Amino acid sequence: MIPLVAALLVTTVSTPPAAAAAPTKNVVYVAKNGDDNAAGTIKAPFATIERARDALAGKTSRRSPGTVYIREGVYQTAKTIEVTGERQSYVIYAAYPGEQVELAGVTTLSPDKFRKLSEVPADEAKWSSKSRVSAAAAPNVHVYDLGAEGIPTGSLNKNGFNWKPQPFAPALITDDATQTLAQYPNADAKLGRDHLTVKEAPKGARDYFSDKTPDGTTMPYEEMLRLPGPVYSIKDQEIAARYATWAKATGTTETDHTKQETDGWLAGYFGNNYANDRVRIDSVGENDVRTSYPTMYVATDKWTSFVAQNVLSELDAEGEYYIDRHQDHNTLYYYPPGGTVEGKEISLTSFDAPFFQLENVRNVTLKGLKLNGTTGTGVRLLDAESSAIDGLEILNVSMDAVAIGEANDAITAIAEYRTSRGGHRNRVINSRLHDLGGGGVFTAGGDRDSLERGDHVVEHNEIYDFSKLATYTPAGYMYGVGNTFRYNHVHDAPHMAIQIMGNDMEISHNRFERLVTHASDQGVIYAGRDYTYLNNVVSHNLFRDIGADGNQAIYMDDGMSGMVVRHNFFDNVQHGLFYQSGHSNVAADNVFKDVKYIGHDKLYHEGGRKLPVANAKVVVERFNDMLKAGDGTGFTNTQKNIDKWYRAYGRQYPNIRDWYVPVDSQGQVCTAVGTEECTDEYVWTNPNSVYVPAGNVLTRSVSIGTGDFAYTDDADGSSVKTFNPDFDSFNVKKPTSADFAFDPATGKFDERTTALNSAEGFGRKWVREWNRNFTLDGIGPRK
């Protein structure tokens, strides 16, 4: 199988040539001192990008493209720049060569307009909440009247895993560092089961999705939001001494805002250790904290790990801030580093929409711009073709930096997952995306029913400090068919780097470092819950210094199949690979250094071969959605599309036509093992049953100071090796890099002296190929 994989699975996506230089007649200019009634020339520039856009509308084409040059300066942004349709296509929006251009969704707060809290008049109503500030912190707290200057103050919304994303609260930024909403406890400390215990744990919203309900319906979203939240009882004496100010008293209907918080939240992990959530603190008292809004998963003591957030009475540490929106006070309280605002550059994110939206356009490029500050998404592309984000710096964005296309909500919880409006051949290149509440590049493109490719490319970018506000918001969302993420440097984030939900993706030549640092049971690259996510190639990447709390570099969740993992270097990782009940996942020719376990498996056979299997409704319906013949409605695909699938994947997966979901004679999914139908052999041992992890490969591994593969111990002696006898073949092991003449700094072997030259399954040709194709040079933005 390995030679076939090597021959067939080299995914390449050509990069379109750069646009030709625009003729002078289609060049217009924008400047800070411009005038929208001017001619738009370099000497008489426009004042706004929108005016420049309109001046070129209908005048540009593939043969006669246009350019909008934006001269140096900071341009305050209050609304989205919309570039729409054929008339506004074939235009480059670029910073003038050698000049710095910033579109600012942040409002600078002048230090001389801050006042010390002690200077605020006692009888001024808008500051009536100041009495909640602790006496110890008060001398260091400064205040700012946002409302007096018309600066938007935003709001706190219900956000979290599988909830509909909404704009986050405005971020306060001081000297390029995002500050902290007033919280308890401070810094990285969390409230856990030693501090609080779950007194009441209503069902989580996840229990009301279609795959969990008896009748297969999903509760309407607005009804979900009205479900009750958990109730916690105080265990820790320190909390008992301070929690009474976090909300109104239990049993009362009115809040005394001079003593009690009006908009406090609990934010973190409630029912698991990998998907964050937030609930509002509704009332406190009698040793309890009651919340409104439900959690997505049922709250349990085991996973309690959160902070009390947006609590003015807890504003007691440098860098903390609070915005009082109660009764339209719209005032800012801030404890600046060092206790002073003097000499600091302070700004507040005041924009809540994309800076640019490119819709139904062709060949539109944003080049060399800095986009700073929005509580929404940075740039959105909808139905765009051959357009580019080139050399941008996007920062202080609360959601995703760039979004290409759309997807329906609750992607891991429903079978009807779809992407749309992704267009084709769009690129995000040579950019720096950082300090993001959400992810880097949301990439949705291609059609899975027909395997039409999106051909989007995300390459030569640096993406870091992302997922600061939400989990499952990776540097690269790879959704749809045929998109590429390569030569990127992705580093320093609490959660995953890549999520794959689709086919024929290429993840290659990236550096992944210091990731999933504040999550458990996660992976740097995550994919799962679909047997038909096929031919996703992960090759020539570095995975280094990955969070060790039960995490893995590559996570192949429930039924994930057809993943190809080859020529990667794993360095300081707890688990390299996780095979979970999927088919035909192939890992070959990888180097593992200081990895606790080269990988581990998990089978549906665990726990006594129970039916239905975990998440059966989702994985079965998604399988049928692609490979069950029908009219294409419901969970079926047309025979024409299925035949195309078989032609596309028949050589790579020779038995794909024979894969089946175990069903009884009535076509119903097996729920128990019988003697005449749904037999043990049919469900649990036949290699074409989707519940059987057949066709999986692990071979030609170089293990340096690395532990063995860890097989499951709760499946009656079965493991992935039971169904794949040659699994974990040609694994050569030595304790140090020097023993293999391997240089971890470059990822290269000494071709003259390495022991691999004579190792079975390797040899000199293997070493030369590794050295030629694996490189840590040229990753990240091109200089």
Side-chain angles (χ1 to χ4, degrees):
M1 187 170 183
I2 296 303
L4 182 63
V5 169
L8 294 179
L9 301 186
V10 180
T11 308
T12 58
V13 179
S14 60
T15 301
T24 303
K25 68 176 183 179
N26 281 339
V27 177
V28 294
Y29 296 83
V30 175
K32 289 285 292 179
N33 62 352
D35 184 342
D36 277 351
N37 294 316
T41 63
I42 192 168
K43 293 184 178 180
F46 295 129
T48 65
I49 296 171
E50 292 91 336
R51 177 67 180 90
R53 172 201 64 196
D54 296 343
L56 293 177
K59 300 177 182 178
T60 57
S61 66
R62 184 181 299 276
R63 293 186 176 183
S64 182
T67 300
V68 174
Y69 278 126
I70 307 167
R71 303 303 303 269
E72 187 158 16
V74 176
Y75 295 77
Q76 196 69 40
T77 298
K79 63 179 181 179
T80 299
I81 299 169
E82 297 180 349
V83 183
T84 306
E86 186 73 15
R87 285 176 52 81
Q88 295 178 2
S89 294
Y90 306 103
V91 178
I92 299 173
Y93 294 83
Y96 189 79
E99 296 186 356
Q100 303 295 315
V101 175
E102 176 180 337
L103 274 65
V106 296
T107 298
T108 299
L109 305 182
S110 176
D112 61 12
K113 292 186 178 179
F114 276 94
R115 288 183 288 176
K116 289 187 176 182
L117 185 62
S118 59
E119 298 172 357
V120 173
D123 58 350
E124 194 170 352
K126 66 171 55 184
W127 302 106
S128 56
S129 299
K130 71 175 186 176
S131 54
R132 302 207 308 263
V133 178
S134 70
N140 296 299
V141 172
H142 292 63
V143 296
Y144 197 104
D145 191 343
L146 301 172
E149 297 187 25
I151 299 172
T153 57
S155 62
L156 275 75
N157 298 307
K158 172 65 172 174
N159 274 310
F161 175 68
N162 270 344
W163 297 104
K164 293 180 180 180
Q166 300 184 75
F168 286 84
L172 189 71
I173 303 158
T174 297
D175 295 337
D176 294 328
T178 303
Q179 305 298 281
T180 303
L181 274 176
Q183 67 177 43
Y184 177 82
N186 293 327
D188 291 331
K190 298 290 185 291
L191 297 175
R193 56 187 174 184
D194 293 334
H195 307 99
L196 302 162
T197 185
V198 177
K199 180 178 181 179
E200 297 176 20
K203 291 171 67 174
R206 182 70 182 85
D207 293 313
Y208 297 92
F209 282 92
S210 61
D211 63 316
K212 301 291 187 182
T213 57
D215 62 359
T217 62
T218 295
M219 176 181 285
Y221 190 78
E222 293 304 319
E223 289 185 27
M224 277 191 193
L225 292 176
R226 290 194 288 270
L227 292 170
V231 178
Y232 290 90
S233 291
I234 305 296
K235 292 174 64 177
D236 182 81
Q237 290 302 310
E238 182 177 349
I239 302 174
R242 67 197 309 155
Y243 84 107
T245 63
W246 291 358
K248 66 179 184 290
T250 299
T252 64
T253 58
E254 299 296 327
T255 300
D256 180 354
H257 73 274
T258 66
K259 300 177 182 178
Q260 300 160 340
E261 299 297 328
T262 58
D263 195 17
W265 294 69
L266 301 179
Y269 295 110
F270 295 84
N272 58 48
N273 56 348
Y274 50 82
N276 73 342
D277 208 338
R278 55 191 300 117
V279 293
R280 179 175 286 160
I281 304 173
D282 181 70
S283 67
V284 295
E286 300 177 352
N287 210 48
D288 292 341
V289 176
R290 295 184 172 273
T291 68
S292 57
Y293 288 127
T295 50
M296 180 55 62
Y297 296 90
V298 178
T300 67
D301 287 334
K302 180 179 180 180
W303 304 121
T304 297
S305 180
F306 48 66
V307 297
Q309 189 181 74
N310 200 49
V311 180
L312 179 57
S313 58
E314 300 295 349
L315 194 154
D316 58 0
E318 291 187 7
E320 289 193 331
Y321 71 100
Y322 174 87
I323 297 175
D324 181 12
R325 303 173 181 87
H326 184 66
Q327 297 178 343
D328 294 325
H329 290 166
N330 296 333
T331 51
L332 170 69
Y333 294 77
Y334 180 38
Y335 189 151
T340 179
V341 297
E342 295 302 321
K344 293 180 171 61
E345 183 177 327
I346 305 172
S347 59
L348 185 73
T349 304
S350 54
F351 185 47
D352 63 358
F355 289 94
F356 286 90
Q357 179 160 301
L358 313 183
E359 185 169 5
N360 289 300
V361 296
R362 290 180 176 272
N363 293 87
V364 171
T365 296
L366 308 180
K367 187 175 179 63
L369 306 173
K370 180 178 182 179
L371 310 182
N372 182 11
T374 173
T375 60
T377 296
V379 179
R380 180 178 291 129
L381 288 78
L382 298 172
D383 296 313
E385 302 284 331
S386 302
S387 294
I389 307 301
D390 183 358
L392 266 61
E393 180 181 10
I394 303 178
L395 71 160
N396 297 320
V397 170
S398 294
M399 298 174 77
D400 298 327
V402 180
I404 303 173
E406 298 177 327
N408 55 343
D409 300 308
I411 57 177
T412 66
I414 59 173
E416 303 93 333
Y417 172 71
R418 285 290 186 273
T419 59
S420 62
R421 307 200 68 189
H424 303 83
R425 296 173 297 282
N426 297 302
R427 297 176 296 149
V428 179
I429 59 177
N430 301 318
S431 296
R432 290 178 59 223
L433 315 176
H434 62 97
D435 289 279
L436 310 171
V441 185
F442 180 94
T443 309
D447 177 64
R448 294 194 65 238
D449 287 334
S450 64
L451 293 180
E452 171 197 334
R453 295 174 62 90
D455 282 333
H456 302 312
V457 176
V458 181
E459 66 179 348
H460 288 294
N461 304 288
E462 184 181 11
I463 307 174
Y464 59 98
D465 285 341
F466 55 94
S467 294
K468 295 171 71 171
L469 297 174
T471 55
Y472 289 84
T473 53
Y477 304 76
M478 305 302 290
Y479 295 172
V481 181
N483 303 308
T484 297
F485 189 96
R486 65 189 177 201
Y487 288 101
N488 300 291
H489 187 197
V490 181
H491 60 95
D492 295 288
H495 215 253
M496 66 171 69
I498 301 290
Q499 184 170 30
I500 298 173
M501 297 192 75
N503 298 58
D504 302 331
M505 307 296 185
E506 176 192 336
I507 316 296
S508 68
H509 293 98
N510 303 288
R511 294 180 72 121
F512 296 112
E513 300 179 286
R514 299 178 299 280
L515 299 163
V516 288
T517 56
H518 288 74
S520 300
D521 191 23
Q522 255 309 324
V524 176
I525 296 180
Y526 174 90
R529 303 217 167 140
D530 199 319
Y531 296 103
T532 68
Y533 290 164
L534 301 176
N535 188 33
N536 293 296
V537 180
V538 180
S539 67
H540 303 97
N541 302 285
L542 168 69
F543 298 85
R544 176 171 282 158
D545 298 333
I546 305 308
D549 190 10
N551 295 312
Q552 27 271 312
I554 299 177
Y555 196 129
M556 295 172 276
D557 203 1
D558 288 327
M560 180 61 193
S561 299
M563 183 86 86
V564 180
V565 181
R566 56 186 177 85
H567 294 97
N568 300 283
F569 175 23
F570 302 84
D571 186 8
N572 189 25
V573 182
Q574 185 171 48
H575 301 99
L577 310 166
F578 183 20
Y579 289 75
Q580 187 173 352
S581 306
H583 268 253
S584 304
N585 294 300
V586 176
D589 307 301
N590 298 291
V591 174
F592 300 86
K593 173 184 167 289
D594 297 328
V595 176
K596 185 174 182 180
Y597 299 104
I598 193 171
H600 65 115
D601 67 349
K602 182 177 176 65
L603 278 65
Y604 284 137
H605 299 67
E606 286 188 330
R609 302 188 178 190
K610 295 177 182 177
L611 290 174
V613 301
N615 299 301
K617 191 171 191 294
V618 171
V619 297
V620 168
E621 289 182 344
R622 287 182 176 176
F623 180 88
N624 291 340
D625 206 31
M626 295 297 117
L627 295 178
K628 182 178 181 179
D631 62 3
T633 62
F635 296 108
T636 69
N637 205 349
T638 65
Q639 191 63 54
K640 179 180 178 181
N641 281 340
I642 293 173
D643 289 342
K644 186 170 184 178
W645 271 68
Y646 290 156
R647 289 193 301 272
Y649 297 125
R651 290 186 63 197
Q652 185 177 340
Y653 312 103
N655 61 338
I656 188 174
R657 293 175 182 267
D658 300 319
W659 291 4
Y660 64 85
V661 173
V663 297
D664 62 21
S665 58
Q666 303 302 310
Q668 299 300 308
V669 176
C670 293
T671 56
V673 171
T675 56
E676 296 184 3
E677 59 181 25
C678 294
T679 63
D680 186 78
E681 188 280 334
Y682 173 69
V683 176
W684 294 115
T685 64
N686 189 313
N688 291 317
S689 166
V690 293
Y691 299 157
V692 176
N696 288 299
V697 174
L698 174 61
T699 192
R700 292 196 300 274
S701 303
V702 179
S703 296
I704 303 170
T706 288
D708 293 332
F709 194 90
Y711 296 104
T712 184
D713 57 5
D714 182 31
D716 297 326
S718 296
S719 70
V720 67
K721 195 173 181 68
T722 304
F723 304 98
N724 308 278
D726 294 330
F727 192 83
D728 199 10
S729 59
F730 302 112
N731 183 358
V732 293
K733 303 179 181 180
K734 290 188 180 294
T736 70
S737 298
D739 292 322
F740 280 117
F742 178 71
D743 182 2
T746 63
K748 304 288 188 182
F749 295 92
D750 187 323
E751 295 182 11
R752 299 168 301 165
T753 64
T754 180
L756 293 177
N757 286 335
S758 57
E760 184 180 6
F762 294 87
R764 295 182 182 277
K765 182 178 179 181
W766 187 97
V767 174
R768 287 195 300 270
E769 180 182 356
W770 174 279
N771 282 352
R772 182 172 62 252
N773 292 315
F774 186 90
T775 181
L776 299 180
D777 297 328
I779 294 175
R782 291 187 178 98
K783 304 301 182 184

